[in-house]
Amino acid sequence: QKEVEQNSGPLSVPEGAIASLNCTYSDRVSQSFFWYRQYSGKSPELIMSIYSNGDKEDGRFTAQLNKASQYVSLLIRDSQPSDSATYLCAVVPSGGYNKLIFGAGTRLAVHP
Amino acid sequence: DGGITQSPKYLFRKEGQNVTLSCEQNLNHDAMYWYRQDPGQGLRLIYYSQIVNDFQKGDIAEGYSVSREKKESFPLTVTSAQKNPTAFYLCASSMAWGGAQLRGEQFFGPGTRLTVL
């Protein structure tokens, strides 16, 4: 069974701090990696995609991928209360074509 | 205004009833998906379709059925055989797999919350 693991949290950070969210995956040959943000009662929204080792930055968000360690992370700089949500890590497994495997999500709480 | 729509937003089912959840997209996406989300849990794949008139079972297909008669539409029926259907149901779509531009990103509709009475 191919798995994606996340710490459920809650991860509590003060406003203006860096939030660091982590995800590990079991399928060594996974190809594509995504972070979705889900506000309470709403559907997931794609915020970052990463496909190769290293860092990818988009505004206050940075995704980091280390395929050797089977590890992907999301950094949120200058965290705002509006960033408070559950963050879902998703992975395209080997041979999975369009399929995604989701982690259970990490709940982030940014307090003023 | 392109996007994915799901209806209804809230749905209540009595024991023994079949209910159908609607999902429509105007993004010209080839692939469509149905997921189920239970409180505090991740998304679990019910069914997916990569092309019209073809669909495959996901990880938790028992008690559900789908059809894909049009590219834009992928309705999900929750049958009476599904013993614990209360959940948040999410429809998603994506471009077909392949090519440098197409890496598996899926985009979600607003969801349908189903409750069994």
Side-chain angles (χ1 to χ4, degrees):
Chain A
Q1 178 75 11
K2 298 170 182 174
E3 296 181 342
V4 177
E5 300 286 343
Q6 296 181 255
N7 188 321
S8 62
L11 174 65
S12 183
V13 301
E15 184 174 357
I18 296 175
S20 178
L21 304 157
N22 304 315
C23 172
T24 59
Y25 58 94
S26 62
D27 185 353
R28 182 171 293 276
V29 194
S30 295
Q31 302 182 55
S32 302
F33 307 85
F34 307 99
W35 284 99
Y36 287 82
R37 179 177 61 199
Q38 186 175 25
Y39 292 113
S40 181
K42 303 296 185 182
S43 63
E45 173 192 9
L46 180 65
I47 56 171
M48 288 291 285
S49 307
I50 188 165
Y51 310 109
S52 55
N53 280 329
D55 294 359
K56 179 182 177 182
E57 186 174 319
D58 184 1
R60 295 187 296 112
F61 298 102
T62 299
Q64 300 175 317
L65 175 61
N66 184 326
K67 289 187 177 181
S69 300
Q70 296 173 233
Y71 178 94
V72 58
S73 64
L74 178 70
L75 301 178
I76 306 175
R77 291 182 299 281
D78 188 23
S79 295
Q80 302 296 311
S82 60
D83 294 325
S84 299
T86 296
Y87 289 80
L88 303 172
C89 174
V91 175
V92 175
S94 57
Y97 299 97
N98 295 86
K99 294 177 69 175
L100 286 180
I101 298 175
F102 284 85
T106 297
R107 188 157 61 91
L108 173 65
V110 181
H111 53 87
Chain B
D1 194 16
I4 304 171
T5 58
Q6 292 186 242
S7 62
K9 186 174 181 179
Y10 298 98
L11 185 58
F12 299 91
R13 193 192 92 167
K14 295 181 180 178
E15 295 284 348
Q17 267 187 340
N18 292 355
V19 292
T20 297
L21 284 59
S22 169
C23 177
E24 304 274 336
Q25 55 95 5
N26 61 4
L27 300 169
N28 199 31
H29 283 172
D30 298 289
M32 297 185 75
Y33 312 81
W34 276 105
Y35 292 92
R36 168 181 173 145
Q37 187 176 36
D38 294 282
Q41 298 190 31
L43 281 65
R44 292 185 290 168
L45 183 64
I46 304 172
Y47 269 98
Y48 65 103
S49 168
Q50 298 190 56
I51 195 170
V52 173
N53 292 323
D54 187 45
F55 48 83
Q56 289 77 40
K57 293 182 178 180
D59 300 319
I60 55 165
E62 184 174 352
Y64 301 97
S65 66
V66 294
S67 63
R68 186 87 186 277
E69 298 177 0
K70 298 187 300 181
K71 186 176 183 177
E72 301 80 15
S73 178
F74 191 41
L76 173 74
T77 297
V78 183
T79 74
S80 57
Q82 171 49 240
K83 297 306 179 187
N84 185 22
T86 295
F88 188 37
Y89 289 87
L90 291 155
C91 178
S93 69
S94 71
M95 296 293 286
W97 180 261
Q101 301 289 333
L102 306 174
R103 300 295 191 105
E105 293 147 329
Q106 293 184 16
F107 301 91
F108 286 85
T112 292
R113 198 166 296 277
L114 173 62
T115 302
V116 174
L117 300 174

